[in-house]
Amino acid sequence: MSRGEQYIEPDNSFYRPSRDPNEGTMILVVVITFLFVCLTGVLAVVYFKKVNPKETSAEIGTNPSGFISVASPTPTPIPPITDYQNPILYPGLASVVFNPADYAIVDECVPSARNINQSVMVDGTPVEGDYSRQNPIYMRDPVFYGSIPGIFTYRGNNFRNCASFGYTNIYRGSLTQRWEFNGIGTLLASTQNFEWSGVRWTGQPLVAEWPAELRQHMNMYDSAKQQQSLTEVIVAALDGKIYFFNIQSGEQTRDPINVGASIKGTPALDPRGYPLIYVGQTDNNGGKVFGMYVYSLIDGALLYTYDGSDDGAYRSNWNAFDSSPIVNGETDTLIWPCENGYIYTFDLNTSYNAGANTISVAPHVTGYKYMFDDNAASHMGVESSIAIYGNYGYYMDNTMNLCCLDLNTFKMVWTKALGDDSDVTPVIDEENGIPYVYIGTEVDNQGGTGQYCGAAYIYKINGLTGHTEWQSSEPCYTYNAEVSDSDQSGGCFGNPIIGKGKISNLIIFSFSMTKGLASGNKLVAYDKDLGTVVWEYNMNIYSYSSPVDFYDSEGHAYLIICDSIGQIHMIDPEATDDNDRRMVVLQTKKNLGQSSETSSGICIEASPIVYEGMLIVGTTSGSVFGIAVE
């Protein structure tokens, strides 16, 4: 029924016709006609069964008049939204159903054409012959990723398509700095020539709304336990600590966990609502190992560590886990690429007793590594996070390859060499039953030493075949120094946005250093189908931070992007005039309202999140800001 159309109640009163003198003859005619039609229907069904032998009896039904008929398939009803599902992603219409045999890999992406060498180890022992996972991984639409409200990993879920949660209804079009925590310190780098400080790329916060009963048994402060409802935001930092805050007030909810080694990437929470956090270190400058850690969020205890230096890795001296892992809850599996060249899965063997408030893990480790003839072993490794569609994992490695890996067989499905290096995490969007992968590159390997302008490439790629649907680029500046520590690269560093709601036809990329070295940034919205530019938003200051999309209850979209001098831009992607696209720019300030208030020295490289009207982001200067979006 169309909006505004009046509903008329049908007249269901019983109607009795008058008696007819030829009623008996008419009844006989009706009966004979009825029997003839029934016989015709039966013969039709028999014929149908012969020409459609795969048809099942369940698909043959009887209509209210008694005629046998072939029933139309009943659409699967959309289940009602739960209180823990993200309404931005609801109802979750990605089918995630495909038969690999139906899709031929394009010639340029066939792994064997590059003489790929692949191997698998389980708990340190090489696997002879083919590998097959005992508990197969198959990840569905991301609306089903979590079991409590929250943001659990970088860009939210296995499609890596959402860094916001819940609706944010805009009534003033403003950003207000509500709180600041400025207690993040520094940690000396392993090279001994600089200090890691604050929060850097990717550095995205995590969020969890823990059940009230569980909070009572966590090592939270009494003030946090006593609140009727609490949303906890978690930030891991380069001083080697994990911090916990009340998202509304910025008050610390518990003591920090001291990992002791610098954390640059984004950790992950267990999406099943288990009190576990998975965190990786970025530098060999402390900690129990050089690798990854699993902590209990009941009491902050260290449950497990892993150091991949003894696995025969291609880069055995660099075991940084900068990528943000994914948890497949149904199989109790942690999926985590490493910079040593391995893609790891950890069969966690989690034991969680909510009644007794105990949790433990006893992982078995499976690792996959690969090499192409045209790649150097010393450069292997993965900084990007892995996106997962069914049993296919998509990631960028450090040798300019976009890879599609079957996580159940650990066989490379396809691989594509891009135009340059990339640390961006692939983002997935299912369109007409096909997963498409969007990715962008830096400007890094196109010129020699010094400053030059190159092309930052972006791609839309068929996730089942490797076919490039369209490709585009933007000119960006970069500087290659004699030593990599002094490089300053331009191009795509922020993750792309998959449009939803009113902008579901758009894919939005951020390009850094578009006006010169350390100058300029551009958001460009492309038509998903055509790859043509729909609109642009230009900034004077460069940004490595990922833009974030969020939505109101009517599906209207808004964007946030932070820059390298601490400004936060709020943008209207639906504006019909580019001059109206900028809604507001907030300059964040340290020590707001105090005599020491200042806006100098603030740089935002980390990626923010937006959670039901609150924006949280960390800075390289040691502050974490809570910003009200109004």
Side-chain angles (χ1 to χ4, degrees):
M1 181 182 297
S2 62
R3 186 176 299 174
E5 184 178 341
Q6 184 178 4
Y7 176 77
I8 301 175
E9 186 70 29
D11 181 5
N12 293 321
S13 59
F14 182 71
Y15 171 68
R16 183 186 299 274
S18 61
R19 298 289 293 179
D20 187 277
N22 298 317
E23 184 178 26
T25 303
M26 292 176 63
I27 291 173
L28 179 60
V29 171
V30 170
V31 170
I32 293 173
T33 303
F34 175 80
L35 292 174
F36 175 80
V37 173
C38 286
L39 179 60
T40 303
V42 170
L43 292 173
V45 170
V46 171
Y47 174 78
F48 180 83
K49 292 294 287 182
K50 286 182 178 180
V51 297
N52 295 277
K54 295 182 180 180
E55 193 70 35
T56 65
S57 59
E59 293 173 302
I60 308 299
T62 303
N63 68 18
S65 300
F67 300 120
I68 298 175
S69 61
V70 179
S72 299
T74 302
T76 302
I78 296 175
I81 191 170
T82 67
D83 59 359
Y84 57 81
Q85 288 178 317
N86 190 347
I88 296 173
L89 298 175
Y90 179 80
L93 298 178
S95 63
V96 196
V97 175
F98 65 97
N99 180 5
D102 294 338
Y103 300 92
I105 308 303
V106 296
D107 291 344
E108 66 174 289
C109 296
V110 175
S112 60
R114 297 172 63 190
N115 295 318
I116 188 172
N117 182 285
Q118 308 175 84
S119 61
V120 180
M121 66 88 186
V122 176
D123 290 331
T125 301
V127 173
E128 300 294 335
D130 292 336
Y131 170 80
S132 181
R133 188 176 299 280
Q134 290 185 349
N135 296 310
I137 292 168
Y138 203 90
M139 302 197 71
R140 301 176 294 159
D141 188 287
V143 77
F144 303 109
Y145 185 65
S147 297
I148 63 172
I151 297 175
F152 308 107
T153 188
Y154 181 62
R155 307 301 272 188
N157 54 62
N158 52 300
F159 279 19
R160 306 291 185 177
N161 68 350
C162 196
S164 58
F165 186 98
Y167 295 129
T168 299
N169 290 314
I170 303 297
Y171 58 95
R172 290 197 305 179
S174 67
L175 300 171
T176 303
Q177 184 174 320
R178 182 173 288 178
W179 59 263
E180 175 196 12
F181 173 80
N182 58 11
I184 296 176
T186 63
L187 201 61
L188 186 65
S190 58
T191 57
Q192 305 287 305
N193 61 352
F194 73 96
E195 288 187 325
W196 293 106
S197 64
V199 185
R200 297 183 68 175
W201 181 99
T202 57
Q204 178 203 285
L206 305 173
V207 181
E209 293 187 40
W210 305 109
E213 176 62 24
L214 176 56
R215 277 195 287 120
Q216 299 309 309
H217 301 287
M218 286 178 158
N219 62 342
M220 288 184 175
Y221 302 146
D222 287 342
S223 58
K225 290 181 180 180
Q226 292 167 4
Q227 293 195 31
Q228 184 173 0
S229 63
L230 173 72
T231 301
E232 188 173 52
V233 61
I234 303 168
V235 178
L238 286 156
D239 65 356
K241 296 179 181 179
I242 305 171
Y243 295 89
F244 303 84
F245 308 100
N246 180 323
I247 197 171
Q248 293 295 332
S249 67
E251 295 178 348
Q252 290 185 266
T253 52
R254 56 176 106 187
D255 290 339
I257 293 175
N258 186 15
V259 177
S262 292
I263 307 157
K264 187 176 70 173
T266 302
L269 295 172
D270 197 295
R272 295 169 289 184
Y274 293 179
L276 293 170
I277 189 168
Y278 310 95
V279 59
Q281 66 187 96
T282 194
D283 193 359
N284 191 16
N285 61 345
K288 303 290 184 182
V289 297
F290 184 17
M292 56 79 78
Y293 303 77
V294 183
Y295 286 93
S296 165
L297 291 181
I298 296 176
D299 56 7
L302 177 62
L303 301 181
Y304 177 78
T305 65
Y306 188 78
D307 185 327
S309 59
D310 296 327
D311 291 340
Y314 293 115
R315 295 175 68 196
S316 59
N317 65 332
W318 199 253
N319 309 314
F321 281 81
D322 272 353
S323 70
S324 184
I326 285 287
V327 174
N328 181 220
E330 293 180 355
T331 61
D332 194 29
T333 307
L334 177 69
I335 306 152
W336 207 341
C338 179
E339 284 196 65
N340 67 1
Y342 265 103
I343 310 299
Y344 290 106
T345 60
F346 299 84
D347 298 319
L348 291 169
N349 293 303
T350 307
S351 176
Y352 177 40
N353 188 326
N357 306 306
T358 59
I359 193 163
S360 64
V361 294
H364 291 288
V365 184
T366 304
Y368 164 83
K369 66 177 182 178
Y370 61 98
M371 179 61 63
F372 302 106
D373 277 357
D374 53 357
N375 283 154
S378 60
H379 292 89
M380 292 303 293
V382 179
E383 284 188 75
S384 93
S385 301
I386 191 168
I388 302 175
Y389 180 92
N391 54 305
Y392 281 6
Y394 303 91
Y395 61 90
M396 276 297 305
D397 68 21
N398 289 339
T399 54
M400 303 193 299
N401 299 305
L402 174 63
C403 299
C404 173
L405 177 66
D406 187 327
L407 295 169
N408 292 331
T409 63
F410 271 145
K411 294 291 186 184
M412 190 75 73
V413 179
W414 58 261
T415 183
K416 180 178 177 61
L418 302 188
D420 208 327
D421 187 23
S422 177
D423 295 329
V424 170
T425 295
V427 61
I428 300 170
D429 190 39
E430 187 189 275
E431 302 164 28
N432 299 318
I434 302 294
Y436 290 98
V437 178
Y438 294 91
I439 191 77
T441 71
E442 305 165 10
V443 178
D444 192 16
N445 298 312
Q446 300 171 36
T449 302
Q451 178 179 332
Y452 64 91
C453 183
Y457 300 101
I458 63 167
Y459 303 84
K460 177 182 181 178
I461 296 174
N462 185 313
L464 301 180
T465 68
H467 177 261
T468 299
E469 302 296 315
W470 53 257
Q471 175 183 337
S472 188
S473 67
E474 282 286 332
C476 297
Y477 290 82
T478 198
Y479 177 77
N480 285 338
E482 295 289 346
V483 292
S484 60
D485 289 347
S486 302
D487 286 353
Q488 191 161 23
S489 299
C492 291
F493 283 88
N495 250 63
I497 287 172
I498 293 288
K500 309 164 194 69
K502 306 286 187 183
I503 61 167
S504 59
N505 62 313
L506 301 180
I507 174 76
I508 302 167
F509 283 87
S510 176
F511 298 93
S512 182
M513 302 192 193
T514 53
K515 296 183 178 181
L517 191 64
S519 176
N521 202 82
K522 181 187 289 188
L523 286 184
V524 183
Y526 298 86
D527 182 281
K528 282 183 187 177
D529 294 331
L530 304 175
T532 53
V533 174
V534 178
W535 56 257
E536 297 180 353
Y537 176 81
N538 287 281
M539 303 159 58
N540 291 327
I541 309 300
Y542 80 93
S543 173
Y544 286 158
S545 179
S546 292
V548 174
D549 55 327
F550 61 99
Y551 301 82
D552 65 19
S553 56
E554 295 182 351
H556 292 291
Y558 305 89
L559 305 181
I560 289 287
I561 185 167
C562 307
D563 66 29
S564 56
I565 62 169
Q567 295 183 133
I568 301 176
H569 302 238
M570 186 161 69
I571 301 162
D572 180 3
E574 299 176 40
T576 55
D577 189 329
D578 282 349
N579 294 324
D580 298 329
R581 203 160 306 284
R582 174 179 295 179
M583 296 178 65
V584 65
V585 177
L586 172 70
Q587 174 63 63
T588 56
K589 296 182 179 180
K590 295 185 290 186
N591 307 317
L592 183 66
Q594 304 177 30
S595 59
S596 56
E597 176 183 313
T598 180
S599 60
S600 64
I602 302 175
C603 174
I604 301 177
E605 283 188 10
S607 296
I609 54 99
V610 176
Y611 199 92
E612 295 180 342
M614 283 297 295
L615 182 154
I616 311 298
V617 67
T619 71
T620 63
S621 57
S623 295
V624 178
F625 291 114
I627 309 294
V629 184
E630 302 168 317

